[in-house]
Amino acid sequence: MIKNFKWLLLVSLTFMACNSDDDVAPVVESSDGKPLTAGSADFSKYVALGDSFAAGFSDNALFIKGQEGAYPNILAQQFALVGGGDFKTPLANDNIGGLLLGGNVIAGPRLYFNGAPVPVEGVPTTEVTAHLSGSFNNLGVPGAKSFHLLAPGYGNAAGVATGTANPYFARFASSATTTVLADALSQNPTFFSLWIGGNDELGYATAGGDPAVNPLTPPANFEAAYKGLIAQLVTGGRKGVIANLPNITTLPHFHVITYNQLTQANLTVGGVSMVSTLNAQLYGPLHNALAFLGQGDRIKLLSATGNNPLLIVDETLPDLSANLKAVLMGGGLDVNTATAMGMVFGRARQALPTDLIVLGASSRIGKVPTVPADGVASPSPSLSQLGITFPLPDRYVLLPSEVAEIEVATTAYNAVIKAAAEANGLAMVDAKSIMDDLNKPSGISMNNFTLKATFVTGGMFSLDGVHPSPRGYAFIANKFIQAINARYGSNLKGVDIGNYPVLFPAKL
């Protein structure tokens, strides 16, 4: 917890020939060296609305240390210097992370770095049905989309198992029928922050653009929800800060697994390269059959040197299942094998540099496809390695058309957010521009530290490739403070991001 520092005003009076000069020592806790001020803002009762970013989600989990370093908590610590009041957070039960529902694990432990991201030891102890009492200032709800903040029953524990309610909100909602917004407004806040909309696109993106897994929120729906939120939050002239959205597909989550992820080691078993065997038994027959159908570029022979592209499903391709089966049978394959290959490879191709593979695919490549894990199973035991002998399904791959679809939605969402800021005189953080700068080779420097969007080593993001690291959250808090200062005339200095670690250790 960052301590609150008191500023000391030293005045030295020197009388010279009827003149007096007041020399004021610079105030090191302010951004401009002048006495601290809230400007025109009133921070006495601050509430934060949002999603996992507001909650302090990090390393693929919600846990105490992460929550304590969430950007709203850091903001509240700064606000306390100029009249801000208490700020309560619905803390998890441990630093393991994860959730229990009726004693059953429904969300796993947080990750730490041990040569690669791996789960920490231990079992989650945060039980969804162990309801927290009282009001909470931090109303960040992991998984929440824009319209969820307005949805009655979103915190009803009875609906968690069926997916109609959110397990995180169910822990602290004031009632089974309340809304996130209602719980915020019931506290009569004097200042608010709202950063929402990331999950309206992120869920779709991390699901590989598969609407059956997680649909993209239509821009019109987002606009209606966002306007509804803002209209109630600014009632009575209430001040606040909002933030727009980055291009989600620029997050490191989508740039860790490459399109040509298959190394020669991946294609070697017992010290023997399987490239020749795979080419002879699978890739060669497929290429020849597809070439006969005028689609030979879909699948080419594997190379015995360097990396090879993953096999993926491209639902935008014409389905050649029946054609492929017929050609393969004409080439001498038995009906069962030809049928299975037609079913599996009718819309398959090798990945291209323009395809984005989601980080979640890292634990599935080379594994046997199953319906619970992958949404699909193989019709043949010989076609049983995801990405190698069985194409990665849609949920693991963002095609260029899907990336474009997400970018169009993001642009529309951001237009709504900008209009809300301008119409209501709110401070606004330009998260899109910030993310663009984080992806530049030079990154962004703050407090003599440089942050980049690079996975693990960039300093900005945690090990899930989506949520910020402890230092990343401090950086975000400072960006919020800069926007607040600029809009309301306050002069909060922010925090030194060097006091926050890049990654959490295994033990906390």
Side-chain angles (χ1 to χ4, degrees):
M1 178 87 57
I2 305 300
K3 295 181 179 179
N4 296 342
F5 297 97
K6 295 181 179 179
W7 54 270
L8 179 63
L9 180 63
L10 298 177
V11 180
S12 109
L13 299 176
T14 304
F15 294 93
M16 300 177 63
C18 300
N19 292 324
S20 65
D21 295 323
D22 290 346
D23 296 326
V24 182
V27 182
V28 296
E29 290 84 8
S30 68
S31 62
D32 55 10
K34 297 179 181 179
L36 279 166
T37 177
S40 63
D42 178 358
F43 301 124
S44 59
K45 188 66 173 182
Y46 164 51
V47 294
L49 296 90
D51 49 33
S52 50
F53 275 50
F57 202 93
S58 192
D59 294 328
N60 207 38
L62 194 67
F63 51 98
I64 295 172
K65 280 292 186 182
Q67 291 177 279
E68 291 175 344
Y71 76 83
N73 287 33
I74 297 174
L75 289 181
Q77 292 157 14
Q78 289 286 297
F79 294 164
L81 302 174
V82 288
D86 291 338
F87 189 82
K88 292 183 64 179
T89 297
L91 293 174
N93 199 50
D94 55 47
N95 277 310
I96 296 172
L99 288 176
L100 301 174
L101 181 63
N104 298 312
V105 177
I106 61 170
R110 66 180 175 90
L111 304 172
Y112 78 101
F113 192 74
N114 186 20
V118 295
V120 298
E121 294 182 0
V123 178
T125 62
T126 302
E127 171 60 53
V128 172
T129 58
H131 191 266
L132 304 177
S133 60
S135 298
F136 295 94
N137 303 74
N138 191 329
L139 292 139
V141 180
K145 298 186 179 185
S146 56
F147 52 88
H148 287 144
L149 303 188
L150 296 160
Y154 193 56
N156 184 355
V160 171
T162 59
T164 59
N166 184 293
Y168 296 98
F169 187 41
R171 292 187 63 235
F172 67 94
S174 64
S175 73
T177 58
T178 191
T179 69
V180 176
L181 179 62
D183 276 6
L185 295 178
S186 67
Q187 302 177 59
N188 297 313
T190 61
F191 193 86
F192 71 90
S193 64
L194 174 67
W195 194 7
I196 195 70
N199 287 320
D200 291 80
E201 53 183 349
L202 179 64
Y204 180 70
T206 55
D210 187 343
V213 177
N214 202 323
L216 182 69
T217 301
N221 293 17
F222 176 85
E223 181 176 13
Y226 201 86
K227 286 183 174 179
L229 290 166
I230 291 294
Q232 295 188 61
L233 286 169
V234 301
T235 299
R238 188 182 292 113
K239 295 177 172 62
V241 58
I242 61 180
N244 66 9
L245 306 168
N247 281 328
I248 290 296
T249 55
T250 62
L251 292 171
H253 182 93
F254 302 97
H255 300 278
V256 178
I257 307 302
T258 61
Y259 80 98
N260 60 342
Q261 191 70 23
L262 298 181
T263 66
Q264 292 301 311
N266 298 143
L267 302 174
T268 299
V269 178
V272 178
S273 171
M274 300 301 294
V275 170
S276 296
T277 301
L278 287 168
N279 281 339
Q281 297 181 3
L282 181 64
Y283 284 76
L286 279 173
H287 171 74
N288 292 336
L290 289 167
F292 181 82
L293 296 169
Q295 299 288 322
D297 287 342
R298 288 195 188 186
I299 296 175
K300 299 179 180 179
L301 296 180
L302 295 173
S303 171
T305 60
N307 285 21
N308 282 285
L310 293 160
L311 280 175
I312 67 170
V313 169
D314 182 344
E315 69 272 19
T316 67
L317 293 175
D319 187 355
L320 299 179
S321 298
N323 311 68
L324 196 55
K325 172 187 173 182
V327 173
L328 289 169
M329 288 181 63
L333 279 184
D334 63 273
V335 63
N336 290 335
T337 302
T339 300
M341 291 180 67
M343 291 173 56
V344 171
F345 298 103
R347 280 189 169 137
R349 64 172 172 84
Q350 287 168 315
L352 299 170
T354 51
D355 298 313
L356 300 181
I357 313 298
V358 304
L359 186 56
S362 62
S363 63
R364 300 302 301 153
I365 294 172
K367 301 295 177 60
V368 177
T370 66
V371 173
D374 313 298
V376 65
S378 175
S380 171
S382 63
L383 307 175
S384 60
Q385 291 179 292
L386 282 165
I388 303 172
T389 61
F390 191 95
L392 287 173
D394 184 29
R395 65 178 59 187
Y396 297 123
V397 184
L398 272 179
L399 304 174
S401 59
E402 293 166 336
V403 172
E405 184 184 11
I406 292 168
E407 290 176 351
V408 168
T410 304
T411 299
Y413 298 168
N414 282 344
V416 172
I417 295 169
K418 180 180 179 182
E422 293 175 346
N424 297 282
L426 300 172
M428 192 187 88
V429 178
D430 189 356
K432 181 186 181 302
S433 294
I434 292 170
M435 188 64 198
D436 290 344
D437 289 341
L438 286 168
N439 273 293
K440 292 178 180 178
S442 57
I444 300 178
S445 293
M446 181 181 284
N447 303 129
N448 297 316
F449 292 91
T450 299
L451 296 176
K452 298 181 180 181
T454 313
F455 187 60
V456 178
T457 61
M460 181 66 201
F461 289 96
S462 72
L463 296 175
D464 57 32
V466 171
H467 299 92
S469 66
R471 185 167 295 174
Y473 273 119
F475 169 83
I476 289 172
N478 284 349
K479 288 297 184 180
F480 269 74
I481 287 169
Q482 290 171 10
I484 292 168
N485 287 347
R487 180 65 189 86
Y488 299 117
S490 51
N491 62 350
L492 298 167
K493 186 178 181 180
V495 297
D496 185 341
I497 66 171
N499 292 330
Y500 297 79
V502 171
L503 293 174
F504 286 113
K507 301 291 184 181
L508 287 173

